[in-house]
Amino acid sequence: MGNGNPIRVQTMTTTDTMDTAATVAQTIRCIEAGAELVRITAPSKKEAENLLVIKEELRRQGYTMPLVADIHFTPNAAEIAARIVEKVRVNPGNYIDKKKFDFIEYTDAEYLAEIDRIRDRFTPLVRICKEYGTAMRIGTNHGSLSDRIMSRYGDSPIGMVESAMEFLRIARDESYHQIILSMKSSNPQVMVQAYRLLVQKMDEEFGECYPLHLGVTEAGDGEDGRIKSAIGIGTLLEDGIGDTIRVSLTEDPEFEIPVCKDIVGRYAGRDNHTPVQSLAATSPIALPYDPFNYNRRSTLPDARIGKGHVPVVVAHYADKKIHPQDLQAIGYRYDELTDKWNIGDAAADYIFTGKETIDFALPGTLQVICNYDVWQTISASDKYFPIRSLEAYMSAAEPLSSKHFIAIDTNADWDVLLRLLDKLKDDSHAVLCLGSANAHRMPSIRRFAIEAMTRGVENAFIICLENNGKTVDEQLIDFATDAGGLLLDGFGDGIWLWNNMAQVENIQMKGRTYLEVKNNNQFLNNTAFSILQATRTRISKTEYISCPSCGRTLFDLQETTAKIRNATNHLKGVKIAIMGCIVNGPGEMADADFGYVGSGPGKITLYKGKEVVKRNVNSDIAVNELIQLLKDNEAWIEPA
Ligand code: SF4
């Protein structure tokens, strides 16, 4: 992998490593689904030794895919596994250090003494790997940094980078280079910044970069898990960063592989895309935004879009007759008895009607975007706003004196786009709807946004993405990657998604389970709000951070996650972690507000932040106890 090889897809088993038959069977299912590497947990020496039995059985059945041992805490297990499997993964946050949550001020001399201690413990593994030709992943996790790193850098992206660099320098001193690195976090923003920083740091310090394994940890399940993963992994792949990927879903591992393939599959056939305008050609100055720190692009003030507002969502109902009940799909439920609208937390802000108008009273929070010629026929409505094409806007003599939208293909002739930016300097009412016909869509939109920033144009813009001829799963990945990547860099004051769902039914293939779409407008609206939630730019629902489970898991994670989700999915903005084991769970639940962690067979320990609140609760009553914990901390409201 790396160095121009295809981006490899991989996953990790969830079985008990001592259950050879189950682990072999699950590994085979993963390989048959397309996994090119399979990782198996080795929490102690006995599991590490059993990797040999598993490997031999797989080889006996004709499966030769490389295996990876997943190690936390136990150097002696790593040293055994490194003699058996093709790769070992170590977590520099806990390979040698037990986490004590001690925040000590280290002097430089004490810090260096710690590094020497790591060198003594880590070097034997490096030498074994070198001798056996075994590869190694130095896999940093945002949630499990060592006390030493936390004390000096906090749980920051730069702390994650330094955590890996400490180990990498030791390996390089031994002239061992069969290394890959990862910087995982459950927060795509943190993860993207950490990988970018790592690349920069390796380049600065060594003048060369090692391959990277990309992943978002504890992404959860269903659409949300896929969206979070696509945003984190996809944004980096768009940057040209990443050599192998794992999507961590709280689902059986073989279901992760099609998602990986959809993410990687986006790059097939892009070789001859229209070149995106070179940055150096027109902006020979520093990048006007910081790819290592989130700052939302500054925009002109407006009553609803841009500065001071969360990104808006536009629902696409072009050219069809709209009835009150149609709006239920985008968060508005009309109650005939009371003649009132009930508005959900994920209710769209605008509706695009094309050449249609609406003949009933709209909910107060919903406004309409319609074609310019239709808008001209509507007398003085403060609910309707026109949209024009770039050509129509450029040929209009006078700017409009109220809010209006311009549909812009950022793949259009660059000189025309530059003239547009000049014209916009005198038009504070324009909102730009940015899409791109370029196969390299996200970078094309980002390039235009960079030019707007460089030239001081502060009109708000909405990210407009169309998807046709793709499966539902591919659309989800496409929307999440292209919109998410822009939002993570601070670009975008709204999202507008649409597709041709009629085409989708024809291309769903047999032999694979696809996400089910009952209502297309609802699918698009949910996807838009989930992208905003995953980029933490607009919070409209509960957030779940659930581990993918592995051989250490102490309960049925999928069933429990579903149970907790059912009980709590009305708690907007609350972050709940559901973690399979007490060994890694508390460290890896990152910035969750509350944690539900397996602490023994049939036992759950509940956390508020990183603090244990109830230890070893019987699992039969643990969900109720979690609800009580939410109530005690004023994080609970009764469901509507
Ligand atoms: S937190 Fe989950 S995935 Fe991580 S080691 Fe524990 S059970 Fe395995």
Side-chain angles (χ1 to χ4, degrees):
M1 66 175 69
N3 204 23
N5 281 303
I7 298 162
R8 305 295 180 191
V9 300
Q10 57 172 298
T11 184
M12 180 170 174
T13 56
T14 56
T15 48
D16 177 351
T17 308
M18 293 311 292
D19 186 341
T20 305
T23 304
V24 166
Q26 194 176 56
T27 303
I28 291 173
R29 285 200 297 280
C30 295
I31 293 171
E32 292 195 334
E36 295 171 287
L37 291 90
V38 179
R39 185 156 45 114
I40 302 172
T41 190
S44 69
K45 282 166 69 176
K46 68 178 192 318
E47 286 89 357
E49 278 156 3
N50 203 47
L51 290 173
L52 182 61
V53 185
I54 292 167
K55 183 176 171 179
E56 281 175 351
E57 180 56 23
L58 284 165
R59 301 293 181 261
R60 196 187 64 74
Q61 294 191 41
Y63 293 94
T64 55
M65 283 294 174
L67 300 177
V68 187
D70 196 61
I71 308 288
H72 293 262
F73 299 107
T74 40
N76 52 8
E79 289 165 18
I80 294 168
R83 294 176 165 97
I84 299 170
V85 291
E86 284 75 11
K87 179 163 134 191
V88 287
R89 178 266 168 133
V90 296
N91 178 346
N94 61 25
Y95 182 66
I96 287 150
D97 298 302
K98 283 245 182 311
K99 197 139 181 64
K100 298 191 221 73
F101 296 100
D102 283 342
F103 289 85
I104 308 159
E105 279 296 317
Y106 289 87
T107 64
D108 286 352
E110 285 166 342
Y111 203 92
L112 284 177
E114 281 284 293
I115 303 287
D116 283 343
R117 188 176 64 83
I118 291 167
R119 184 181 297 276
D120 288 346
R121 298 296 308 280
F122 180 53
T123 301
L125 176 65
V126 172
R127 290 185 179 156
I128 293 168
C129 286
K130 214 175 147 184
E131 183 188 342
Y132 282 77
T134 308
M136 181 191 294
R137 169 156 67 101
I138 302 174
T140 301
N141 270 6
H142 179 218
S144 57
L145 296 174
S146 67
D147 288 344
R148 177 184 62 267
I149 290 287
M150 290 287 280
S151 303
R152 189 156 279 201
Y153 301 94
D155 64 343
S156 58
I158 189 67
M160 294 168 69
V161 170
E162 193 48 34
S163 169
M165 290 294 285
E166 289 178 353
F167 279 59
L168 185 53
R169 290 183 195 113
I170 296 168
R172 282 176 65 89
D173 288 347
E174 293 292 316
S175 302
Y176 172 67
H177 300 285
Q178 237 176 307
I179 294 172
I180 185 159
L181 298 109
S182 62
M183 300 274 115
K184 296 193 185 181
S185 168
S186 63
N187 179 341
Q189 181 74 260
V190 171
M191 174 247 183
V192 166
Q193 288 172 5
Y195 278 98
R196 285 175 174 171
L197 273 170
L198 175 66
V199 170
Q200 192 197 45
K201 184 82 183 160
M202 287 194 287
D203 203 31
E204 262 175 23
E205 197 170 319
F206 311 134
E208 59 190 358
C209 290
Y210 290 85
L212 296 175
H213 162 128
L214 307 184
V216 175
T217 47
E218 286 82 40
D221 58 358
E223 285 88 338
D224 285 343
R226 284 160 174 77
I227 285 173
K228 245 192 194 183
S229 299
I231 292 174
I233 296 170
T235 300
L236 289 161
L237 292 179
E238 291 289 317
D239 284 356
I241 294 173
D243 303 285
T244 177
I245 67 169
R246 190 241 169 148
V247 169
S248 304
L249 298 177
T250 309
E251 297 176 20
D252 290 340
E254 56 268 35
F255 294 126
E256 295 177 353
I257 301 300
V259 186
C260 291
K261 286 185 170 174
D262 287 343
I263 293 174
V264 172
R266 281 168 43 88
Y267 300 96
R270 277 207 204 178
D271 293 352
N272 297 319
H273 71 81
T274 316
V276 174
Q277 187 71 21
S278 153
L279 199 58
T282 55
S283 308
I285 51 164
L287 209 56
Y289 75 101
D290 181 353
F292 306 114
N293 288 294
Y294 176 76
N295 278 303
R296 186 159 162 201
R297 171 182 163 259
S298 172
T299 59
L300 297 163
D302 176 89
R304 283 176 67 113
I305 302 184
K307 197 171 204 153
H309 303 287
V310 291
V312 296
V313 171
V314 181
H316 195 86
Y317 281 78
D319 306 336
K320 38 183 173 194
K321 184 87 193 128
I322 301 167
H323 306 280
Q325 59 272 27
D326 294 330
L327 302 188
Q328 195 159 333
I330 57 166
Y332 296 92
R333 192 166 53 77
Y334 179 63
D335 185 342
E336 275 185 41
L337 280 179
T338 58
D339 189 26
K340 284 199 167 54
W341 288 98
N342 295 306
I343 304 173
D345 287 327
D349 307 278
Y350 288 88
I351 180 169
F352 172 63
T353 59
K355 56 184 190 297
E356 289 291 327
T357 54
I358 290 180
D359 58 9
F360 55 88
L362 281 172
T365 53
L366 186 60
Q367 298 189 333
V368 181
I369 302 171
C370 64
N371 292 352
Y372 182 71
D373 51 347
V374 174
W375 174 77
Q376 284 179 308
T377 66
I378 299 166
S379 53
S381 168
D382 58 0
K383 279 258 178 210
Y384 283 77
F385 301 92
I387 184 164
R388 279 178 289 179
S389 66
L390 174 61
E391 296 70 31
Y393 176 74
M394 292 304 284
S395 59
E398 292 294 318
L400 296 175
S401 59
S402 59
K403 181 154 66 191
H404 60 100
F405 295 79
I406 311 168
I408 298 161
D409 175 1
T410 59
N411 196 43
D413 183 88
W414 190 248
D415 289 335
V416 175
L417 294 174
L418 294 185
R419 285 206 299 281
L420 165 73
L421 290 174
D422 276 346
K423 187 167 179 173
L424 285 168
K425 286 184 184 152
D426 299 319
D427 187 353
S428 60
H429 299 295
V431 175
L432 316 182
C433 299
L434 301 184
S436 179
N438 196 315
H440 216 30
R441 179 161 68 172
M442 190 278 261
S444 162
I445 298 174
R446 183 163 64 185
R447 180 64 187 89
F448 177 82
I450 288 171
E451 196 63 29
M453 277 185 97
T454 305
R455 289 168 187 258
V457 173
E458 293 197 327
N459 298 71
F461 76 71
I462 293 173
I463 302 163
C464 299
L465 303 175
E466 181 179 7
N467 248 317
N468 291 317
K470 294 199 168 175
T471 66
V472 174
D473 297 47
E474 287 167 341
Q475 288 188 38
L476 199 73
I477 299 299
D478 260 8
F479 284 140
T481 306
D482 289 342
L486 289 162
L487 290 161
L488 287 188
D489 278 335
F491 299 127
D493 306 291
I495 307 189
W496 178 348
L497 311 178
W498 71 98
N499 60 8
N500 184 344
M501 198 44 103
Q503 293 181 356
V504 172
E505 277 127 34
N506 299 329
I507 53 171
Q508 305 283 42
M509 289 163 288
K510 285 195 180 127
R512 179 173 160 185
T513 313
Y514 286 89
L515 297 168
E516 200 184 343
V517 172
K518 293 197 176 117
N519 178 306
N520 189 34
N521 285 109
Q522 190 173 33
F523 163 68
L524 294 169
N525 196 62
N526 287 351
T527 302
F529 275 97
S530 296
I531 293 169
L532 295 176
Q533 174 102 8
T535 52
R536 308 222 174 157
T537 49
R538 181 170 179 175
I539 303 298
S540 57
K541 53 188 175 180
T542 324
E543 180 155 346
Y544 299 95
I545 298 159
S546 60
C547 80
S549 87
C550 72
R552 290 186 195 264
T553 311
L554 292 162
F555 55 86
D556 184 331
L557 210 93
Q558 293 177 35
E559 194 188 301
T560 309
T561 303
K563 214 155 117 188
I564 293 175
R565 193 185 279 276
N566 271 344
T568 60
N569 64 9
H570 60 293
L571 304 176
K572 175 177 162 181
V574 179
K575 296 198 246 23
I576 301 175
I578 305 145
M579 310 299 284
C581 77
I582 199 100
V583 185
N584 290 326
E588 300 201 358
M589 62 199 188
D591 57 351
D593 302 315
F594 299 92
Y596 180 106
V597 180
S599 50
K603 298 288 176 208
I604 302 299
T605 292
L606 298 175
Y607 286 73
K608 177 171 184 273
K610 296 250 180 243
E611 184 193 328
V612 174
V613 184
K614 286 185 183 167
R615 218 178 276 279
N616 294 330
V617 178
N618 198 323
S619 59
D620 298 345
I621 57 162
V623 175
N624 289 341
E625 289 287 322
L626 174 67
I627 292 171
Q628 190 55 48
L629 178 63
L630 292 162
K631 286 181 179 168
D632 295 345
N633 288 280
E634 293 173 9
W636 176 262
I637 49 169
E638 291 304 325

